[in-house]
Amino acid sequence: MSRVDYIAPWWTYWLHNFPHINLRFQPIDNSFQPEEENYQQSLIFLACVVAAGLGVNLLCLAIYLSCLCCCRKDEEEESKKPNSCCVTWSAVAAGLITCVAVGVGFYGNSETNDGVYQLTYSLYNANHTLGGVDSLVTGTMGNMKTGLHQHLARLDEIFATRGDYVQTLQFMQQMADNVIKQLLGLPDWVDANVDLATIADQTASVEYYRWLTYLLILILDLIICLLACLGLAKQSRWLLTTMMVFGVLTLVLSWASLGADLAAAVGTSDFCVSPDKYVMSQTKSIVGADIVHYYLYCNQTLSNPFQQPLTIFQRSLTTMQIQIQSLLQFAVPLFPTAERDLLGIQNLLNSSEASLHQLTALLDCRGLNKDYLDAMVGVCYDGVEGVLYLGLFSVLAACAFTVMLCAIPRAWRQIACRERDYDDIDEEDPFNPRARRIASPNPNHANMHSFCSYSSSIGSQSSLHPPAPAAAHAPMTEYMNQTPALFGGNPRYENVPLIGRGSPPPSYSPSMRATYLSMTEEQIRHFGNDFQA
């Protein structure tokens, strides 16, 4: 009979057609047989294929890093703008791909969780239905065996002098035994009830840890990407090195999750393509095939396998109620003490009839078939679709971290080259900004030479190109005003204390002043002649 209510989605057929090969490289049947060793090996083989992809990825990264370390370029070429732009765009691409991957991962994780929740919810509903059937059957049988038997035993003593009434009581006992017989013919749902509850509990527990694991992976990927971008922006080598280590670990984790997702998606799709076959094979030891077929398809053309026992149950209760009404009408005036037991039997029969109506509703195929279809939709639509999105997340994350691992070493080398270029600058060069920063807070440094002193460094003087010197007998103030212009216009040496500049002390005699001026003019004249030479 063709299924009209449940149609497997197209992606389950696509995954179902994946090659199923065991670890001995032998093709096997793609039917869902999780207990078979060859089928288990076929899913493991898919995970091994993904592991091979991880090995190729790591090998390509190793070759790239080896070429980057061995094939060194000139430092000038390393600091060119195109390389910086390449690193920048690589970081941007890795960040965008990671953001897209995380978004896809959150959606896939949510879809998978919704599908599994729908499965567990349907299992709990079916378990509640089967538990209700078992409870009603057990309660009705207990009432017939214990309560009705006690009332009939007392009435038999009361009606001992009336043979017709005793025959009526015996007939009611036969009807009660017939009801018990019909109830015993119903399937024993205790095993199925326990199995469904156990499966639902285990599935919910596994799904919780799966959902939490993927949530942590998504957050970890996002944090690593953000810290790597921060390290590139701040040019922090230790942060980039740390993120590179975590990037490799996350890359391995992404490929591992892809292997698990692929194996789970293919195995679930094998089940979703023909779930009826597997369900019937698993329940054949619990209930009959006709009963399972009735609940799986729930077609109007199918007869209810419980219709006959339920009909006999109903007729027996009706017959017993008629007999009790007759005894209440004719026997109670003669035997008033029998009224209590007769009313007790009547209440018991009314309770059994209510249980019969509930049992008929629970045994109807529409309730369990709806739970079955809901479970299939949850697993095969939301569940498998979510796993596919999680697989796409793993692929995008692997690509993003591959790009990031390619960009970080190049950025690390650029930072190292810039620092090396910066360290190669002569710290004695007065035009070096670093030397200026070092000298500015220490104006009295021992290596500082007065530009007005005759003992100025010859190397420094030869490296400068001042304009033509002033006349030999120019006034001292004019020469001192020209000094900042001659030596780069740096006025910081004007604040150097007078000691060490060849200047006289603040207080001096006229003879000392004349001696100092004559000495200074001679030094200036000698300096000008040397400079012109």
Side-chain angles (χ1 to χ4, degrees), residues 373-387:
L373 294 179
D374 290 343
M376 291 299 100
V377 171
V379 173
C380 302
Y381 281 82
D382 294 340
V384 177
E385 182 184 6
V387 173

mmCIF file with all atom_site columns, all heavy atoms in Angstrom, residues 373-387:
data_model
loop_
_atom_site.group_PDB
_atom_site.id
_atom_site.type_symbol
_atom_site.label_atom_id
_atom_site.label_alt_id
_atom_site.label_comp_id
_atom_site.label_asym_id
_atom_site.label_entity_id
_atom_site.label_seq_id
_atom_site.pdbx_PDB_ins_code
_atom_site.Cartn_x
_atom_site.Cartn_y
_atom_site.Cartn_z
_atom_site.occupancy
_atom_site.B_iso_or_equiv
_atom_site.pdbx_formal_charge
_atom_site.auth_seq_id
_atom_site.auth_comp_id
_atom_site.auth_asym_id
_atom_site.auth_atom_id
_atom_site.pdbx_PDB_model_num
ATOM 1   N N   . LEU A 1 373 ? 3.733  10.158 12.637 1.00 0.00 ? 373 LEU A N   1
ATOM 2   C CA  . LEU A 1 373 ? 4.008  11.107 11.557 1.00 0.00 ? 373 LEU A CA  1
ATOM 3   C C   . LEU A 1 373 ? 4.740  12.345 12.080 1.00 0.00 ? 373 LEU A C   1
ATOM 4   O O   . LEU A 1 373 ? 5.648  12.867 11.422 1.00 0.00 ? 373 LEU A O   1
ATOM 5   C CB  . LEU A 1 373 ? 2.707  11.515 10.868 1.00 0.00 ? 373 LEU A CB  1
ATOM 6   C CG  . LEU A 1 373 ? 1.976  10.407 10.106 1.00 0.00 ? 373 LEU A CG  1
ATOM 7   C CD1 . LEU A 1 373 ? 0.691  10.944 9.486  1.00 0.00 ? 373 LEU A CD1 1
ATOM 8   C CD2 . LEU A 1 373 ? 2.867  9.804  9.042  1.00 0.00 ? 373 LEU A CD2 1
ATOM 9   N N   . ASP A 1 374 ? 4.353  12.812 13.249 1.00 0.00 ? 374 ASP A N   1
ATOM 10  C CA  . ASP A 1 374 ? 5.057  13.958 13.841 1.00 0.00 ? 374 ASP A CA  1
ATOM 11  C C   . ASP A 1 374 ? 6.523  13.631 14.107 1.00 0.00 ? 374 ASP A C   1
ATOM 12  O O   . ASP A 1 374 ? 7.416  14.462 13.891 1.00 0.00 ? 374 ASP A O   1
ATOM 13  C CB  . ASP A 1 374 ? 4.372  14.383 15.135 1.00 0.00 ? 374 ASP A CB  1
ATOM 14  C CG  . ASP A 1 374 ? 3.015  15.031 14.893 1.00 0.00 ? 374 ASP A CG  1
ATOM 15  O OD1 . ASP A 1 374 ? 2.758  15.435 13.732 1.00 0.00 ? 374 ASP A OD1 1
ATOM 16  O OD2 . ASP A 1 374 ? 2.212  15.105 15.841 1.00 0.00 ? 374 ASP A OD2 1
ATOM 17  N N   . ALA A 1 375 ? 6.766  12.428 14.585 1.00 0.00 ? 375 ALA A N   1
ATOM 18  C CA  . ALA A 1 375 ? 8.156  12.022 14.833 1.00 0.00 ? 375 ALA A CA  1
ATOM 19  C C   . ALA A 1 375 ? 8.940  11.949 13.530 1.00 0.00 ? 375 ALA A C   1
ATOM 20  O O   . ALA A 1 375 ? 10.095 12.401 13.456 1.00 0.00 ? 375 ALA A O   1
ATOM 21  C CB  . ALA A 1 375 ? 8.179  10.673 15.549 1.00 0.00 ? 375 ALA A CB  1
ATOM 22  N N   . MET A 1 376 ? 8.335  11.416 12.471 1.00 0.00 ? 376 MET A N   1
ATOM 23  C CA  . MET A 1 376 ? 9.027  11.329 11.185 1.00 0.00 ? 376 MET A CA  1
ATOM 24  C C   . MET A 1 376 ? 9.302  12.716 10.604 1.00 0.00 ? 376 MET A C   1
ATOM 25  O O   . MET A 1 376 ? 10.379 12.966 10.053 1.00 0.00 ? 376 MET A O   1
ATOM 26  C CB  . MET A 1 376 ? 8.187  10.509 10.199 1.00 0.00 ? 376 MET A CB  1
ATOM 27  C CG  . MET A 1 376 ? 8.084  9.036  10.522 1.00 0.00 ? 376 MET A CG  1
ATOM 28  S SD  . MET A 1 376 ? 9.687  8.194  10.538 1.00 0.00 ? 376 MET A SD  1
ATOM 29  C CE  . MET A 1 376 ? 10.023 8.139  12.292 1.00 0.00 ? 376 MET A CE  1
ATOM 30  N N   . VAL A 1 377 ? 8.337  13.607 10.709 1.00 0.00 ? 377 VAL A N   1
ATOM 31  C CA  . VAL A 1 377 ? 8.551  14.967 10.211 1.00 0.00 ? 377 VAL A CA  1
ATOM 32  C C   . VAL A 1 377 ? 9.650  15.654 11.010 1.00 0.00 ? 377 VAL A C   1
ATOM 33  O O   . VAL A 1 377 ? 10.509 16.350 10.448 1.00 0.00 ? 377 VAL A O   1
ATOM 34  C CB  . VAL A 1 377 ? 7.230  15.769 10.278 1.00 0.00 ? 377 VAL A CB  1
ATOM 35  C CG1 . VAL A 1 377 ? 7.480  17.242 9.986  1.00 0.00 ? 377 VAL A CG1 1
ATOM 36  C CG2 . VAL A 1 377 ? 6.228  15.213 9.276  1.00 0.00 ? 377 VAL A CG2 1
ATOM 37  N N   . GLY A 1 378 ? 9.641  15.473 12.319 1.00 0.00 ? 378 GLY A N   1
ATOM 38  C CA  . GLY A 1 378 ? 10.677 16.101 13.135 1.00 0.00 ? 378 GLY A CA  1
ATOM 39  C C   . GLY A 1 378 ? 12.066 15.592 12.808 1.00 0.00 ? 378 GLY A C   1
ATOM 40  O O   . GLY A 1 378 ? 13.023 16.369 12.703 1.00 0.00 ? 378 GLY A O   1
ATOM 41  N N   . VAL A 1 379 ? 12.201 14.279 12.615 1.00 0.00 ? 379 VAL A N   1
ATOM 42  C CA  . VAL A 1 379 ? 13.516 13.702 12.347 1.00 0.00 ? 379 VAL A CA  1
ATOM 43  C C   . VAL A 1 379 ? 13.964 13.969 10.920 1.00 0.00 ? 379 VAL A C   1
ATOM 44  O O   . VAL A 1 379 ? 15.083 14.439 10.677 1.00 0.00 ? 379 VAL A O   1
ATOM 45  C CB  . VAL A 1 379 ? 13.502 12.188 12.638 1.00 0.00 ? 379 VAL A CB  1
ATOM 46  C CG1 . VAL A 1 379 ? 14.796 11.542 12.196 1.00 0.00 ? 379 VAL A CG1 1
ATOM 47  C CG2 . VAL A 1 379 ? 13.287 11.948 14.124 1.00 0.00 ? 379 VAL A CG2 1
ATOM 48  N N   . CYS A 1 380 ? 13.089 13.673 9.959  1.00 0.00 ? 380 CYS A N   1
ATOM 49  C CA  . CYS A 1 380 ? 13.495 13.667 8.558  1.00 0.00 ? 380 CYS A CA  1
ATOM 50  C C   . CYS A 1 380 ? 13.431 15.040 7.904  1.00 0.00 ? 380 CYS A C   1
ATOM 51  O O   . CYS A 1 380 ? 14.107 15.261 6.887  1.00 0.00 ? 380 CYS A O   1
ATOM 52  C CB  . CYS A 1 380 ? 12.622 12.691 7.774  1.00 0.00 ? 380 CYS A CB  1
ATOM 53  S SG  . CYS A 1 380 ? 12.688 10.997 8.410  1.00 0.00 ? 380 CYS A SG  1
ATOM 54  N N   . TYR A 1 381 ? 12.649 15.941 8.420  1.00 0.00 ? 381 TYR A N   1
ATOM 55  C CA  . TYR A 1 381 ? 12.589 17.285 7.856  1.00 0.00 ? 381 TYR A CA  1
ATOM 56  C C   . TYR A 1 381 ? 13.477 18.239 8.664  1.00 0.00 ? 381 TYR A C   1
ATOM 57  O O   . TYR A 1 381 ? 14.516 18.684 8.192  1.00 0.00 ? 381 TYR A O   1
ATOM 58  C CB  . TYR A 1 381 ? 11.145 17.772 7.813  1.00 0.00 ? 381 TYR A CB  1
ATOM 59  C CG  . TYR A 1 381 ? 10.354 17.207 6.657  1.00 0.00 ? 381 TYR A CG  1
ATOM 60  C CD1 . TYR A 1 381 ? 9.783  15.942 6.725  1.00 0.00 ? 381 TYR A CD1 1
ATOM 61  C CD2 . TYR A 1 381 ? 10.183 17.927 5.480  1.00 0.00 ? 381 TYR A CD2 1
ATOM 62  C CE1 . TYR A 1 381 ? 9.063  15.411 5.670  1.00 0.00 ? 381 TYR A CE1 1
ATOM 63  C CE2 . TYR A 1 381 ? 9.466  17.419 4.409  1.00 0.00 ? 381 TYR A CE2 1
ATOM 64  C CZ  . TYR A 1 381 ? 8.903  16.156 4.507  1.00 0.00 ? 381 TYR A CZ  1
ATOM 65  O OH  . TYR A 1 381 ? 8.197  15.630 3.446  1.00 0.00 ? 381 TYR A OH  1
ATOM 66  N N   . ASP A 1 382 ? 13.058 18.555 9.880  1.00 0.00 ? 382 ASP A N   1
ATOM 67  C CA  . ASP A 1 382 ? 13.834 19.521 10.677 1.00 0.00 ? 382 ASP A CA  1
ATOM 68  C C   . ASP A 1 382 ? 15.178 18.945 11.100 1.00 0.00 ? 382 ASP A C   1
ATOM 69  O O   . ASP A 1 382 ? 16.202 19.642 11.046 1.00 0.00 ? 382 ASP A O   1
ATOM 70  C CB  . ASP A 1 382 ? 13.034 19.920 11.919 1.00 0.00 ? 382 ASP A CB  1
ATOM 71  C CG  . ASP A 1 382 ? 11.779 20.700 11.554 1.00 0.00 ? 382 ASP A CG  1
ATOM 72  O OD1 . ASP A 1 382 ? 11.738 21.244 10.434 1.00 0.00 ? 382 ASP A OD1 1
ATOM 73  O OD2 . ASP A 1 382 ? 10.842 20.739 12.368 1.00 0.00 ? 382 ASP A OD2 1
ATOM 74  N N   . GLY A 1 383 ? 15.188 17.680 11.524 1.00 0.00 ? 383 GLY A N   1
ATOM 75  C CA  . GLY A 1 383 ? 16.424 17.100 12.035 1.00 0.00 ? 383 GLY A CA  1
ATOM 76  C C   . GLY A 1 383 ? 17.509 16.984 10.982 1.00 0.00 ? 383 GLY A C   1
ATOM 77  O O   . GLY A 1 383 ? 18.624 17.494 11.148 1.00 0.00 ? 383 GLY A O   1
ATOM 78  N N   . VAL A 1 384 ? 17.203 16.316 9.865  1.00 0.00 ? 384 VAL A N   1
ATOM 79  C CA  . VAL A 1 384 ? 18.212 16.131 8.820  1.00 0.00 ? 384 VAL A CA  1
ATOM 80  C C   . VAL A 1 384 ? 18.581 17.466 8.182  1.00 0.00 ? 384 VAL A C   1
ATOM 81  O O   . VAL A 1 384 ? 19.757 17.715 7.862  1.00 0.00 ? 384 VAL A O   1
ATOM 82  C CB  . VAL A 1 384 ? 17.694 15.140 7.762  1.00 0.00 ? 384 VAL A CB  1
ATOM 83  C CG1 . VAL A 1 384 ? 18.705 14.981 6.631  1.00 0.00 ? 384 VAL A CG1 1
ATOM 84  C CG2 . VAL A 1 384 ? 17.405 13.789 8.403  1.00 0.00 ? 384 VAL A CG2 1
ATOM 85  N N   . GLU A 1 385 ? 17.601 18.341 8.006  1.00 0.00 ? 385 GLU A N   1
ATOM 86  C CA  . GLU A 1 385 ? 17.909 19.661 7.452  1.00 0.00 ? 385 GLU A CA  1
ATOM 87  C C   . GLU A 1 385 ? 18.859 20.432 8.368  1.00 0.00 ? 385 GLU A C   1
ATOM 88  O O   . GLU A 1 385 ? 19.810 21.077 7.909  1.00 0.00 ? 385 GLU A O   1
ATOM 89  C CB  . GLU A 1 385 ? 16.616 20.452 7.252  1.00 0.00 ? 385 GLU A CB  1
ATOM 90  C CG  . GLU A 1 385 ? 16.814 21.823 6.634  1.00 0.00 ? 385 GLU A CG  1
ATOM 91  C CD  . GLU A 1 385 ? 15.524 22.603 6.542  1.00 0.00 ? 385 GLU A CD  1
ATOM 92  O OE1 . GLU A 1 385 ? 14.493 22.121 7.055  1.00 0.00 ? 385 GLU A OE1 1
ATOM 93  O OE2 . GLU A 1 385 ? 15.545 23.707 5.961  1.00 0.00 ? 385 GLU A OE2 1
ATOM 94  N N   . GLY A 1 386 ? 18.608 20.369 9.665  1.00 0.00 ? 386 GLY A N   1
ATOM 95  C CA  . GLY A 1 386 ? 19.507 21.035 10.602 1.00 0.00 ? 386 GLY A CA  1
ATOM 96  C C   . GLY A 1 386 ? 20.903 20.452 10.581 1.00 0.00 ? 386 GLY A C   1
ATOM 97  O O   . GLY A 1 386 ? 21.904 21.178 10.660 1.00 0.00 ? 386 GLY A O   1
ATOM 98  N N   . VAL A 1 387 ? 21.014 19.124 10.443 1.00 0.00 ? 387 VAL A N   1
ATOM 99  C CA  . VAL A 1 387 ? 22.336 18.498 10.372 1.00 0.00 ? 387 VAL A CA  1
ATOM 100 C C   . VAL A 1 387 ? 23.071 18.934 9.110  1.00 0.00 ? 387 VAL A C   1
ATOM 101 O O   . VAL A 1 387 ? 24.291 19.154 9.122  1.00 0.00 ? 387 VAL A O   1
ATOM 102 C CB  . VAL A 1 387 ? 22.194 16.961 10.438 1.00 0.00 ? 387 VAL A CB  1
ATOM 103 C CG1 . VAL A 1 387 ? 23.531 16.286 10.185 1.00 0.00 ? 387 VAL A CG1 1
ATOM 104 C CG2 . VAL A 1 387 ? 21.664 16.537 11.798 1.00 0.00 ? 387 VAL A CG2 1
#
